[in-house]
Amino acid sequence: MSTALPLTRRSIFAQAWPIMLGQVTVPLVGLVDTAVIGRTGDAAALAGVALGATIINFIFWSFGFLRMGMTGMTAQAQGAGDRAEVDALLVRGLAVGAGVGMLLLAAQLLLIPAAFALLAGGPEVDANARAFVGARFLGAPACLALYAINGWLLGLGRSRAALALQIVWNLANALLDMLFVWHFDMGARGVGLGTAIAEWVALAVGLAIVGGHLRTAGRRRLLDGAAIRRLFAVNADIMLRTVALLALFAWLASAGARLGAETLAANQVLLQFVSIVAFVLDGFAFTAESRVGQAIGARDRPAMLRAIRLTGEFSLAAAILFSVAILAAGGAGIALMTTDAQVRATAGAMLPFVALLPLLGAPAWLLDGVFIGATAGRALRNAALASTGLYVASDLLLRPLGETGLWIAFLASYVYRAGALGLCVPGLLRSLAEPAPRT
């Protein structure tokens, strides 16, 4: 019997608001990292954290399928009423996350030099970035295991539990960053170390939240060969999708570094606005993941269409509000995050482009949620590859415009991704109208 949640505007918002509140705290990792260093007035350290964060995000979020794939598969298992598979998915995800994290920790001596061979911001910036990255690797196993827990909770619609976990994670990060940087004067390394320790604290809390399900997971289901093959088949495409999008952001960071340390630092400040908008609007995208996944598990095409429509309505309304808020308060936000006059001026000049981003990005984020919930990895992969390729071409063409061209190309990347996913929606609807495959 299906255990899907009711599909009303009230229930959609009840599920989405804790995710949105929790998602507000997700970019606080980057925001706090940026502000703690930015308030020291050291532009090289701020640029180093920006460059180091790009490298860490690229490496860690290459395994973001542990969150995304887990959400879609858990939601589908719940929609189909398969509670044993729901519990088994949690254990499998935790095992893969912790195992991959340990491999990353062991491989950092190779990964860090390779990363800096591709992305370089000058001797002083690189020194700060290396210190930050080396410290962040200490949290790799905890970070990747947390991806699995978050994805599992979101797939079940347990958004309040996910909110509690996210708040613990980010409060610990803020307190530890301030302790290591402002009290112990550890600079960029202190920022990385604070974040790594916060990840371990959050993992302990996450295991306490899901502990009952870990105890009830059946051993036979854990070792189900077909389920394990599906886990890796779905997640391979999502991993390629994630790598393509991370490559896009790495290209953006490299383009900013090419224009100088002040531009790189200004972009880091502006990207905090981007992160806040994306993460909050992801509250509706994550809700779409859960609701679409449940509808597919129950083979309920009308429920999927209603889930897309309701989450889309909320997403559009929130995007309009964010655009207005950035125009009205963005200047004050920039001043709060950095005291460097040149960085403030550069960031302020690009603020109107950032204000356009919620409206242009909302369709891409929502469609990501729809296809993640459907575990339609191939469509996600192809859309990400296409949008990243078109973005790089656009950036190369617009380089004569400097910082303005950089931001125009970045905004266009969201339009490319939404267009590519939009072309796949009819096929997704047709697949649900067909009879369920025999198992």
Side-chain angles (χ1 to χ4, degrees):
M1 182 177 65
S2 172
T3 56
L5 300 171
L7 263 174
T8 64
R9 287 185 178 84
R10 183 185 296 273
S11 70
I12 289 288
F13 189 73
Q15 183 176 345
W17 77 256
I19 301 174
M20 294 170 65
L21 188 56
Q23 289 295 96
V24 168
T25 71
V26 172
L28 283 180
V29 173
L31 184 62
V32 169
D33 289 352
T34 299
V36 167
I37 286 293
R39 297 300 296 179
T40 67
D42 188 341
L46 178 56
V49 169
L51 188 60
T54 299
I55 291 170
I56 285 294
N57 288 340
F58 188 95
I59 295 172
F60 285 15
W61 262 108
S62 294
F63 302 95
F65 63 79
L66 291 165
R67 204 287 300 163
M68 292 176 279
M70 183 66 65
T71 298
M73 287 186 288
T74 302
Q76 289 179 25
Q78 184 191 34
D82 191 346
R83 296 183 179 180
E85 180 62 12
V86 167
D87 290 348
L89 278 165
L90 172 63
V91 180
R92 292 187 203 116
L94 280 170
V96 173
V100 172
M102 292 300 294
L103 290 175
L104 287 179
L105 185 59
Q108 64 177 297
L109 294 178
L110 297 176
L111 292 173
I112 293 176
F116 282 96
L118 296 173
L119 294 175
E124 191 174 1
V125 171
D126 281 1
N128 282 282
R130 284 177 180 271
F132 173 85
V133 170
R136 279 298 310 273
F137 261 96
L138 298 175
C143 181
L144 271 58
L146 280 167
Y147 289 168
I149 292 176
N150 268 320
W152 186 83
L153 290 172
L154 292 171
L156 294 179
R158 292 180 58 184
S159 54
R160 295 189 182 187
L163 168 62
L165 179 58
Q166 201 65 60
I167 289 175
V168 169
W169 190 346
N170 289 282
L171 281 177
N173 176 71
L175 293 172
L176 290 166
D177 273 8
M178 289 185 286
L179 175 67
F180 291 140
V181 176
W182 290 350
H183 183 73
F184 291 113
D185 196 25
M186 294 176 66
R189 176 172 175 76
V191 171
L193 186 60
T195 303
I197 295 174
E199 287 163 343
W200 285 103
V201 171
L203 177 60
V205 174
L207 291 173
I209 290 173
V210 303
H213 295 272
L214 294 175
R215 289 189 293 271
T216 59
R219 183 173 299 178
R220 176 177 293 181
R221 295 298 294 268
L222 292 178
L223 301 177
D224 184 325
I228 292 172
R229 285 193 297 273
R230 180 172 182 255
L231 175 69
F232 284 98
V234 168
N235 288 333
D237 282 331
I238 295 179
M239 182 176 184
L240 290 174
R241 170 257 184 200
T242 304
V243 170
L245 295 181
L246 290 171
L248 188 155
F249 277 91
W251 185 281
L252 176 67
S254 180
R258 187 185 67 251
L259 296 174
E262 286 77 15
T263 297
L264 179 61
N267 284 347
Q268 174 69 1
V269 170
L270 291 173
L271 285 173
Q272 305 317 306
F273 293 107
V274 175
S275 293
I276 291 171
V277 171
F279 280 117
V280 172
L281 289 183
D282 268 349
F284 299 115
F286 288 1
T287 301
E289 292 177 22
S290 174
R291 297 312 184 95
V292 167
Q294 290 170 17
I296 289 176
R299 304 299 298 175
D300 190 340
R301 187 173 185 269
M304 184 177 76
L305 289 171
R306 182 167 175 79
I308 294 172
R309 180 169 63 82
L310 294 181
T311 52
E313 289 174 1
F314 280 115
S315 186
L316 176 60
I320 293 171
L321 291 174
F322 266 116
S323 291
V324 173
I326 290 171
L327 286 174
I334 292 169
L336 180 65
M337 282 187 280
T338 180
T339 59
D340 187 285
Q342 183 59 48
V343 173
R344 284 182 175 182
T346 303
M350 295 298 106
L351 194 61
F353 292 105
V354 180
L356 283 173
L357 189 132
L359 296 173
L360 297 178
W365 296 320
L366 183 64
L367 285 170
D368 271 349
V370 169
F371 282 89
I372 288 169
T375 58
R378 183 174 300 179
L380 289 161
R381 177 200 67 195
N382 292 343
L385 290 171
S387 62
T388 298
L390 290 170
Y391 160 71
V392 171
S394 300
D395 181 70
L396 293 173
L397 288 172
L398 295 172
R399 279 190 175 181
L401 298 180
E403 181 81 345
T404 298
L406 182 152
W407 277 92
I408 292 174
F410 180 59
L411 291 177
S413 71
Y414 288 96
V415 178
Y416 300 146
R417 179 150 47 111
L421 288 172
L423 293 174
C424 298
V425 169
L428 179 61
L429 295 176
R430 285 194 301 270
S431 70
L432 193 57
E434 297 169 354
R438 293 183 179 180
T439 57

